[in-house]
mmCIF file of all heavy atoms in Angstrom:
data_model
loop_
_atom_site.group_PDB
_atom_site.id
_atom_site.type_symbol
_atom_site.label_atom_id
_atom_site.label_comp_id
_atom_site.label_asym_id
_atom_site.label_seq_id
_atom_site.Cartn_x
_atom_site.Cartn_y
_atom_site.Cartn_z
ATOM 1 N N THR T 121 -25.083 68.915 16.129
ATOM 2 C CA THR T 121 -25.681 67.999 16.940
ATOM 3 C C THR T 121 -25.991 68.512 18.377
ATOM 4 O O THR T 121 -25.340 69.197 18.855
ATOM 5 C CB THR T 121 -24.791 66.705 17.064
ATOM 6 O OG1 THR T 121 -24.431 66.286 15.797
ATOM 7 C CG2 THR T 121 -25.557 65.481 17.696
ATOM 8 N N GLU T 122 -27.152 68.095 18.970
ATOM 9 C CA GLU T 122 -27.738 68.688 20.180
ATOM 10 C C GLU T 122 -27.204 68.020 21.368
ATOM 11 O O GLU T 122 -27.494 68.495 22.456
ATOM 12 C CB GLU T 122 -29.139 68.813 19.989
ATOM 13 C CG GLU T 122 -29.591 69.682 18.790
ATOM 14 C CD GLU T 122 -30.680 70.706 19.181
ATOM 15 O OE1 GLU T 122 -31.259 70.559 20.349
ATOM 16 O OE2 GLU T 122 -31.222 71.275 18.195
ATOM 17 N N ASN T 123 -26.754 66.778 21.355
ATOM 18 C CA ASN T 123 -26.335 66.265 22.658
ATOM 19 C C ASN T 123 -24.952 65.513 22.457
ATOM 20 O O ASN T 123 -24.625 65.173 21.440
ATOM 21 C CB ASN T 123 -27.466 65.325 23.074
ATOM 22 C CG ASN T 123 -27.652 64.236 22.256
ATOM 23 O OD1 ASN T 123 -26.795 63.407 21.879
ATOM 24 N ND2 ASN T 123 -28.900 64.006 21.840
ATOM 25 N N VAL T 124 -24.329 65.367 23.656
ATOM 26 C CA VAL T 124 -23.034 64.783 23.757
ATOM 27 C C VAL T 124 -23.067 63.334 23.091
ATOM 28 O O VAL T 124 -22.054 62.949 22.385
ATOM 29 C CB VAL T 124 -22.560 64.633 25.158
ATOM 30 C CG1 VAL T 124 -21.196 63.975 25.350
ATOM 31 C CG2 VAL T 124 -22.487 66.132 25.699
ATOM 32 N N ALA T 125 -24.048 62.578 23.502
ATOM 33 C CA ALA T 125 -24.072 61.180 22.897
ATOM 34 C C ALA T 125 -24.053 61.127 21.459
ATOM 35 O O ALA T 125 -23.348 60.362 20.692
ATOM 36 C CB ALA T 125 -25.307 60.416 23.458
ATOM 37 N N SER T 126 -24.796 61.984 20.712
ATOM 38 C CA SER T 126 -24.929 62.068 19.307
ATOM 39 C C SER T 126 -23.468 62.382 18.714
ATOM 40 O O SER T 126 -23.089 61.997 17.721
ATOM 41 C CB SER T 126 -25.974 62.938 18.791
ATOM 42 O OG SER T 126 -27.117 62.544 19.127
ATOM 43 N N VAL T 127 -22.884 63.396 19.352
ATOM 44 C CA VAL T 127 -21.579 63.916 18.875
ATOM 45 C C VAL T 127 -20.616 62.787 18.918
ATOM 46 O O VAL T 127 -19.806 62.475 17.929
ATOM 47 C CB VAL T 127 -21.089 65.071 19.854
ATOM 48 C CG1 VAL T 127 -19.536 65.417 19.526
ATOM 49 C CG2 VAL T 127 -21.799 66.237 19.575
ATOM 50 N N LEU T 128 -20.519 61.956 20.129
ATOM 51 C CA LEU T 128 -19.594 60.813 20.161
ATOM 52 C C LEU T 128 -19.913 59.788 19.308
ATOM 53 O O LEU T 128 -19.051 59.186 18.691
ATOM 54 C CB LEU T 128 -19.632 60.377 21.572
ATOM 55 C CG LEU T 128 -19.050 61.370 22.665
ATOM 56 C CD1 LEU T 128 -19.270 60.778 23.969
ATOM 57 C CD2 LEU T 128 -17.663 61.785 22.384
ATOM 58 N N VAL T 129 -21.258 59.416 18.922
ATOM 59 C CA VAL T 129 -21.620 58.378 18.008
ATOM 60 C C VAL T 129 -21.182 58.790 16.583
ATOM 61 O O VAL T 129 -20.567 58.000 15.989
ATOM 62 C CB VAL T 129 -23.100 58.069 18.147
ATOM 63 C CG1 VAL T 129 -23.570 57.349 16.948
ATOM 64 C CG2 VAL T 129 -23.500 57.537 19.388
ATOM 65 N N ASN T 130 -21.410 60.045 16.335
ATOM 66 C CA ASN T 130 -20.889 60.542 14.979
ATOM 67 C C ASN T 130 -19.416 60.324 14.795
ATOM 68 O O ASN T 130 -19.011 59.947 13.787
ATOM 69 C CB ASN T 130 -21.401 61.938 14.635
ATOM 70 C CG ASN T 130 -22.790 62.064 14.504
ATOM 71 O OD1 ASN T 130 -23.487 61.035 14.046
ATOM 72 N ND2 ASN T 130 -23.430 63.203 14.751
ATOM 73 N N LYS T 131 -18.697 60.669 15.851
ATOM 74 C CA LYS T 131 -17.303 60.661 15.883
ATOM 75 C C LYS T 131 -16.797 59.095 15.700
ATOM 76 O O LYS T 131 -15.885 58.827 14.949
ATOM 77 C CB LYS T 131 -16.696 61.211 17.099
ATOM 78 C CG LYS T 131 -15.193 61.468 17.049
ATOM 79 C CD LYS T 131 -14.678 62.293 18.153
ATOM 80 C CE LYS T 131 -13.209 62.573 17.938
ATOM 81 N NZ LYS T 131 -12.746 63.654 18.791
ATOM 82 N N MET T 132 -17.391 58.298 16.516
ATOM 83 C CA MET T 132 -17.210 56.875 16.425
ATOM 84 C C MET T 132 -17.389 56.235 15.082
ATOM 85 O O MET T 132 -16.738 55.468 14.622
ATOM 86 C CB MET T 132 -17.911 56.137 17.535
ATOM 87 C CG MET T 132 -17.267 56.450 18.923
ATOM 88 S SD MET T 132 -17.823 55.368 20.234
ATOM 89 C CE MET T 132 -17.183 53.819 19.703
#
Side-chain angles (χ1 to χ4, degrees):
T121 309
E122 299 214 4
N123 64 55
V124 176
S126 294
V127 169
L128 295 175
V129 166
N130 288 338
K131 190 169 187 167
M132 288 188 68

